[in-house]
Amino acid sequence: MSQETENLSPQWYVVHTYSGYENKVKKDLEKTIKNRELQEYFFEIIVPMEEQIEIKNGKAETKVKKVFPGYVLVKMIVTEATWYIVRNTRGVTGFVGSGTDPIPLTEQEIRQMGFELSSVNVDYAKGDMVSITGGSFDGHTGTVQEINTDKHKVKVLISMFGRETPVEVDFSQVTKVV
């Protein structure tokens, strides 16, 4: 692992914990990060939870359950120091990955879990003229109506069948017309 952090961007890693220790690991990690003043390397620590409705005796009860028991998600920049802190937190058995190297989650894995990806910077804004460069509307140009950073989609108003029609496409399928 390199000591240089200038080029490293934060990524999501999966940390394996003893079952039942997820919240304690989160709390202990947050405390250690604060004490060692390493907040610039850690961005988010999540124990994924979801609400489940259980029906008992004809009554609906809402319970919050862990989505991945035994795992904590950490958005961080991996350095020797940050790796060591996470690895040596009580209750942590290791990073998910091969050997000692933690493997970050891919954007697709993050999306499938329903998490927001790090903010995406697009070079166009509402009202800009853009060209659609992929998908069903490839080759059309139009005006940006709305940018949805959560879904990584952009709504573009294009002229189709003689009328203005809003279409939704991925960020990657749009380029700004200069």
Side-chain angles (χ1 to χ4, degrees):
M1 277 180 232
S2 76
Q3 291 285 357
E4 291 178 35
T5 56
E6 289 86 51
N7 300 342
L8 297 177
S9 60
Q11 292 187 294
W12 283 102
Y13 294 90
V14 179
V15 177
H16 189 258
T17 69
Y18 295 125
S19 192
Y21 275 71
E22 302 88 353
N23 291 321
K24 184 162 178 30
V25 164
K26 177 182 171 155
K27 230 177 261 169
D28 289 351
L29 250 176
E30 288 168 345
K31 189 175 167 187
T32 305
I33 292 161
K34 190 175 181 191
N35 289 343
R36 299 206 184 174
E37 297 180 356
L38 289 169
Q39 294 94 328
E40 65 197 66
Y41 296 96
F42 291 88
F43 298 82
E44 250 181 291
I45 301 169
I46 296 176
V47 178
M49 306 289 263
E50 69 180 354
E51 283 187 0
Q52 289 183 339
I53 297 169
E54 290 180 5
I55 298 174
K56 286 186 181 175
N57 303 328
K59 292 182 181 174
E61 276 185 36
T62 304
K63 292 194 174 185
V64 179
K65 292 195 173 178
K66 293 179 184 101
V67 179
F68 308 113
Y71 295 95
V72 175
L73 300 176
V74 182
K75 186 176 186 179
M76 63 184 280
I77 296 173
V78 173
T79 65
E80 291 284 346
T82 60
W83 178 88
Y84 182 84
I85 284 170
V86 173
R87 188 70 191 83
N88 290 290
T89 298
R90 184 189 298 268
V92 170
T93 60
F95 281 95
V96 172
S98 60
T100 57
D101 287 335
I103 297 175
L105 292 172
T106 64
E107 284 191 13
Q108 185 180 1
E109 289 169 327
I110 296 164
R111 272 202 199 97
Q112 285 173 339
M113 285 192 267
F115 291 111
E116 247 181 71
L117 291 168
S118 54
S119 60
V120 176
N121 294 326
V122 290
D123 64 347
Y124 46 84
K126 194 173 174 180
D128 283 351
M129 281 296 288
V130 292
S131 177
I132 299 174
T133 57
S136 327
F137 304 103
D138 189 8
H140 284 84
T141 56
T143 310
V144 174
Q145 227 185 355
E146 191 181 305
I147 298 173
N148 186 333
T149 52
D150 292 343
K151 291 184 179 176
H152 290 251
K153 300 271 187 191
V154 59
K155 196 177 280 183
V156 181
L157 205 56
I158 62 171
S159 181
M160 197 164 67
F161 309 119
R163 64 191 323 183
E164 296 283 283
T165 308
V167 296
E168 196 175 62
V169 292
D170 283 335
F171 280 174
S172 59
Q173 296 175 318
V174 174
T175 55
K176 186 175 179 178
V177 175
V178 185

